[in-house]
Amino acid sequence: MTDHTSTYTLDEALESIGFGKFQGWIIAYAGLGSIAEAMEVMILSFIGPSLRSEWNLSSTQESLITTVVFAGMLFGAYTWGVISDNLGRRKGLLSIAIVTSGASVLSAFSPNYISLVILRCIGGVGLGGGPTYNSWFLEFVPAPSRGTWMVIFATFWTIGTIVEASLAWIVLPGLGWRWLLAISSIPALAALVFYSFVPESPRYLCLKGQTTEAYNILKRAAAVNQSQLPSGTLLSDQITCSDEDLDIPEVTHLLSLKRKRKNAFKTSFSTVWMLFSSNLIKTTFLLWIVFFGNAFSYYGIILLTSELSSGQSRCSSLKLVLVNSSDDSTYRDVFITSLAELPGLGFAAFIVDRIGRKHSMELMFFIGFIFLLPLLSHQSEILTTVSLFGSRMFIIGTFTVANIYAPEIYPTAVRATGVGVASSVGRIGGMICPLVAVYLVDGCHQTAAIVLFEVVIILSGLCVMFFPRETMTQELADTVSVSD
C-alpha cells in the first residue's frame, strides 16, 4: 500500500537513488558531447595553415573559418536552450547530435572554401548545444555531490582538447586536414548512434505533467543502481506524480499534451522573457558579466601563453595558440597548456562542495588575479610561464563552477535557455578578447593588456559576491515563481 501521508521531492528521490551506474551512463553520454564540442572547436586552429596553403587563402579568409563557427555557436546556444525548455531535453540532444555530426562529417568532403565555411557555420550551431548537455546531466545528479560531479563532467572538455592536439600531431602532417576532420567527427557521430539510450529528464517530465514517464525513469534508475525510491508520493513544486499514476486514465492528459504541442512554437520564445522577470533579472545580468569575464580572461591567458610558448615574449606579434603554425612545437605547446587545466579542475572539485559555489568562484578569481600580477612588468621566462599557467589553472576553475551555478540557480522551466544565453554572452567575450589582446601586445603594451585582464577578473569576482544565493546542497527549483 502507498503511504498517502508522506511525500518526497525529486531531489530527495535522486538522493535516495544515489549516484551509480545509471548516472554513469548519463555522464558518459554528456561527456561525449562535451568532448565532441572541444575537439571541433580546437580543430579550427590546426587546419587553418593547411587550408591557406592548399586553397591560397588570405589571412582574412582563414580567420573567417573560425569566426563563422563562433557565430554559429552564438545562435546555437540560444536556440537549443529554447528547444530543450519547450520540447524536452531529449529532442534538444537529438537535434544537436544530428546537426553537429552531419556538418562535421560533410566538412571533410568540402570541395571548396565556400562550402567549408557554410558547413563549419552549421557545425557551430550544433556546437552551441554544449550547455544543454550540462543542464541535462545536472538534473540527474543528487544534490549533496552535485558540485563535485559537475566539475568531473567539465574535465571532458579538457580531455577533448588533449585528444585533438594529439590527433593533429599524429594525423595532420602525414594524412592532411580532411582525415583530421573525419577522425575528429567520431565523438559527434557516437553521440548520434547512442542517442536511443538517452532518457528524458524526469524533472522536465514532471514539470510538463508527464507524470507516468517521470516515475518510470526514476524507477528504472533505482533498479539499475540497486536502490529504492522513497515511499509515498513524488512532488515537484506544483506537480505530483507517484506509482498510483500508473493506474489513472490519461485521456485528459494526452489531450492536454496535444494542446501544448499545438501552441509550442507560439510560446517557445516566452522562456527568454522569463529570464528578465523580477525574480531572475538580477541573476541573469550578473551571470552574463561573469560568463563574459570568464571567457575573456581565459582566452586572453591562452593568447599570452602562446606568445611565451613560441619564445617571442619581447614585444612580438602575438598569435593565438595553435594558429598559423604547423610544426611540432605548436602541437606540443597546446598539449602542455591543455594539461595545465587539470590541476585547476581538481582544485575546483575539492572545494566546490565544501565551501560553496560563490566562495569557490571568489577564491579562484582572487588567486588567478594574484598569479597575473607579476606580469605587470617584464619577468623572466620561467616566472612568466608559472604566472600564466597558474592563472589559467584557476580561471578554468571559475569557468567550471560558473557552469555549475548557472543551471542550479535557474529553475527547470528556463534552465537550458538561461544557461544557453549566458553561454552565448561568454562566446562574445571569447571573440572580442583576441582583437583587444592582440592589438595591445602587438603595440608593445603588455602592461596595459595585463591591467585589462585584471580589471575584468576583479569585476567578475565582484559580480559573484552579489549573486542572490548559494546553491550548494539546495534542491533545484522547477518554476520561476519559486526560483528565488
Side-chain angles (χ1 to χ4, degrees):
M1 297 293 291
T2 301
D3 182 3
H4 294 277
T5 62
S6 64
T7 60
Y8 58 92
T9 65
L10 277 165
D11 284 278
E12 289 170 341
L14 289 173
E15 189 172 347
S16 178
I17 292 171
F19 196 103
K21 293 181 180 179
F22 187 84
Q23 284 87 351
W25 157 248
I26 301 297
I27 193 174
Y29 185 84
L32 188 64
S34 185
I35 289 175
E37 181 187 0
M39 292 178 66
E40 291 294 330
V41 170
M42 293 289 290
I43 200 174
L44 300 170
S45 303
F46 290 114
I47 65 174
S50 297
L51 291 171
R52 185 173 186 175
S53 175
E54 181 174 331
W55 288 341
N56 296 318
L57 304 180
S58 66
S59 58
T60 301
Q61 288 175 312
E62 182 184 350
S63 300
L64 183 61
I65 299 173
T66 300
T67 302
V68 296
V69 173
F70 280 100
M73 293 176 76
L74 284 174
F75 176 76
Y78 162 78
T79 303
W80 302 128
V82 172
I83 290 174
S84 298
D85 279 335
N86 288 277
L87 301 181
R89 312 298 194 235
R90 201 166 183 269
K91 290 182 179 178
L93 293 175
L94 175 61
S95 304
I96 293 166
I98 291 174
V99 173
T100 305
S101 60
S104 299
V105 173
L106 292 176
S107 292
F109 301 95
S110 300
N112 51 49
Y113 171 74
I114 296 298
S115 62
L116 180 64
V117 168
I118 293 173
L119 286 169
R120 296 317 295 177
C121 183
I122 295 173
V125 174
L127 296 176
T132 302
Y133 286 101
N134 190 39
S135 298
W136 175 70
F137 172 62
L138 176 79
E139 293 175 352
F140 285 94
V141 182
S145 58
R146 205 160 52 210
T148 301
W149 281 107
M150 291 301 289
V151 173
I152 293 173
F153 169 70
T155 61
F156 284 96
W157 170 275
T158 301
I159 291 172
T161 64
I162 295 172
V163 170
E164 188 60 38
S166 303
L167 278 176
W169 199 345
I170 297 169
V171 175
L172 195 56
L175 298 177
W177 63 271
R178 293 185 186 276
W179 274 101
L180 182 60
L181 281 173
I183 296 173
S184 299
S185 68
I186 291 176
L189 282 170
L192 181 60
V193 170
F194 291 109
Y195 166 77
S196 59
F197 299 100
V198 171
E200 181 58 271
S201 163
R203 185 177 298 278
Y204 173 85
L205 290 172
C206 270
L207 180 69
K208 296 299 181 179
Q210 300 179 40
T211 56
T212 301
E213 293 89 340
Y215 178 82
N216 287 339
I217 291 173
L218 290 172
K219 189 174 181 180
R220 179 157 53 110
V224 171
N225 289 357
Q226 298 183 345
S227 56
Q228 290 185 340
L229 289 171
S231 60
T233 303
L234 173 63
L235 298 176
S236 178
D237 286 341
Q238 300 172 350
I239 306 299
T240 302
C241 49
S242 68
D243 52 355
E244 290 195 341
D245 288 323
L246 296 172
D247 301 322
I248 298 176
E250 297 195 3
V251 177
T252 303
H253 169 63
L254 292 174
L255 291 174
S256 176
L257 284 179
K258 288 181 180 179
R259 286 195 295 269
K260 289 178 182 178
R261 287 167 184 166
K262 184 177 179 181
N263 296 325
F265 289 101
K266 256 171 120 180
T267 60
S268 61
F269 295 103
S270 64
T271 53
V272 178
W273 300 113
M274 292 182 193
L275 301 179
F276 304 100
S277 65
S278 58
N279 283 343
L280 294 178
I281 187 168
K282 175 183 176 182
T283 299
T284 294
F285 282 118
L286 289 174
L287 278 174
W288 285 4
I289 296 173
V290 171
F291 270 70
F292 181 94
N294 267 326
F296 189 91
S297 54
Y298 174 74
Y299 290 111
I301 291 168
I302 291 178
L303 283 166
L304 295 175
T305 304
S306 175
E307 185 188 20
L308 279 177
S309 299
S310 60
Q312 300 172 345
S313 59
R314 289 184 295 277
C315 191
S316 61
S317 177
L318 182 63
K319 296 180 176 64
L320 177 62
V321 67
L322 302 172
V323 176
N324 298 330
S325 176
S326 59
D327 57 22
D328 284 352
S329 65
T330 300
Y331 309 132
R332 184 185 63 246
D333 295 338
V334 177
F335 187 82
I336 293 173
T337 54
S338 298
L339 287 176
E341 297 181 5
L342 293 177
L345 292 172
F347 182 78
F350 179 76
I351 66 174
V352 69
D353 278 329
R354 288 175 169 82
I355 66 175
R357 286 41 163 162
K358 292 178 62 175
H359 291 324
S360 294
M361 284 187 279
E362 291 163 356
L363 176 62
M364 288 186 288
F365 269 129
F366 177 74
I367 298 176
F369 175 87
I370 295 299
F371 265 106
L372 277 183
L373 281 178
L375 299 184
L376 288 171
S377 59
H378 291 286
Q379 304 293 337
S380 67
E381 184 174 343
I382 294 177
L383 180 57
T384 306
T385 302
V386 171
S387 295
L388 287 172
F389 274 63
S391 59
R392 181 169 178 178
M393 282 171 50
F394 292 100
I395 294 301
I396 191 63
T398 63
F399 217 142
T400 301
V401 178
N403 277 287
I404 298 172
Y405 184 83
E408 287 183 335
I409 197 69
Y410 280 124
T412 304
V414 296
R415 181 168 295 123
T417 300
V419 178
V421 174
S423 177
S424 293
V425 175
R427 302 293 183 191
I428 296 173
M431 293 171 66
I432 293 175
C433 173
L435 302 177
V436 177
V438 167
Y439 172 78
L440 289 175
V441 180
D442 270 355
C444 297
H445 301 301
Q446 177 180 318
T447 299
I450 297 299
V451 168
L452 177 61
F453 294 137
E454 294 285 49
V455 169
V456 170
I457 290 173
I458 285 295
L459 288 176
S460 300
L462 289 174
C463 286
V464 172
M465 295 176 64
F466 289 101
F467 279 151
R469 60 185 172 88
E470 175 58 59
T471 58
M472 181 178 65
T473 72
Q474 291 192 5
E475 294 187 355
L476 299 179
D478 285 339
T479 60
V480 174
S481 59
V482 297
S483 61
D484 284 336

